[in-house]
Amino acid sequence: PGEVIPVPSNVKAAGVPAISASLPEGLLPYGSSRRALLLGWHPVRREMLIWTRLGEAGQIHSVAGPGMDRRQLTFFREGVSAPPPQGTSAWYEPTGTYFVFAKDTGGGAETMQLFRYDFATRRTTLLTDGKSRTGIPVWAHRGGLIAFDSNRRGGHNGADRDLYVMNPGDPGSAKLVAEMQ
């Protein structure tokens, strides 16, 4: 039945029928559907952050109110991962002047890093080291600090997940507060 997709050399396929080379083209409309996923509600105003994919890369957008258009905030070439369980989410600073979000910077290696997006400057700043795996941040009730876990100290062995505290306004302020083994 026409051309077929060859079985990769590293795959052993027994009893699997040949797949027509035209099948992937026919599936494109189903794999390219759009969706918008809620990331977080603004703590003061009636606004939200959403994740949506336009083209090949998902990005974070702001929606300023009911029925309003989205405004793209992030512009990463490789995009921002889809929301959990496998991807990102966003957490507003308690007054809503900026938000923190997690993004894989390892090309799928799950080296999640924390970033800050500042609404006033429209700039994104890397908050963590860019190499280790970083967990989901939690805001302190007061003081504008976040706590998060990371394998930074453990040489990226994946086993040591220590707790850090940071002021997201100052990326150099991250302090190790508890070593976990």
Side-chain angles (χ1 to χ4, degrees):
E3 289 189 46
V4 297
I5 297 175
V7 176
S9 61
N10 63 338
V11 174
K12 184 175 182 175
V16 177
I19 299 172
S20 170
S22 66
L23 184 62
E25 188 77 24
L27 293 175
L28 278 175
Y30 302 101
S32 299
S33 61
R34 290 188 184 167
R35 63 183 177 154
L37 303 170
L38 177 66
L39 297 178
W41 287 101
H42 193 283
V44 179
R45 297 189 298 265
R46 198 170 172 192
E47 297 179 14
M48 67 174 70
L49 296 173
I50 64 168
W51 175 93
T52 191
R53 179 185 308 271
L54 300 173
E56 296 300 313
Q59 302 288 350
I60 297 175
H61 297 73
S62 173
V63 179
M68 298 186 77
D69 291 335
R70 68 189 178 286
R71 183 182 74 176
Q72 187 170 337
L73 303 177
T74 61
F75 294 88
F76 292 99
R77 182 180 314 274
E78 69 283 0
V80 176
S81 306
Q86 74 280 9
T88 195
S89 197
W91 305 272
Y92 277 102
E93 176 269 337
T95 65
T97 58
Y98 63 86
F99 65 90
V100 173
F101 65 99
K103 176 187 168 345
D104 182 4
T105 59
E110 297 180 9
T111 52
M112 298 303 276
Q113 300 299 310
L114 297 179
F115 291 81
R116 180 188 72 234
Y117 178 88
D118 187 298
F119 286 102
T121 63
R122 296 185 175 181
R123 296 186 70 137
T124 300
T125 304
L126 176 66
L127 298 177
T128 47
D129 69 1
K131 299 176 275 193
S132 59
R133 289 184 178 182
T134 303
I136 294 172
V138 177
W139 284 99
H141 292 289
R142 293 187 201 125
L145 300 176
I146 59 172
F148 60 92
D149 67 284
S150 174
N151 67 351
R152 181 186 309 187
R153 176 189 57 90
H156 318 300
N157 63 12
D160 298 327
R161 301 288 295 195
D162 300 328
L163 296 177
Y164 291 82
V165 172
M166 163 195 284
N167 172 354
D170 177 9
S173 70
K175 296 208 179 343
L176 176 65
V177 295
E179 291 184 4
M180 306 295 174
Q181 307 213 2

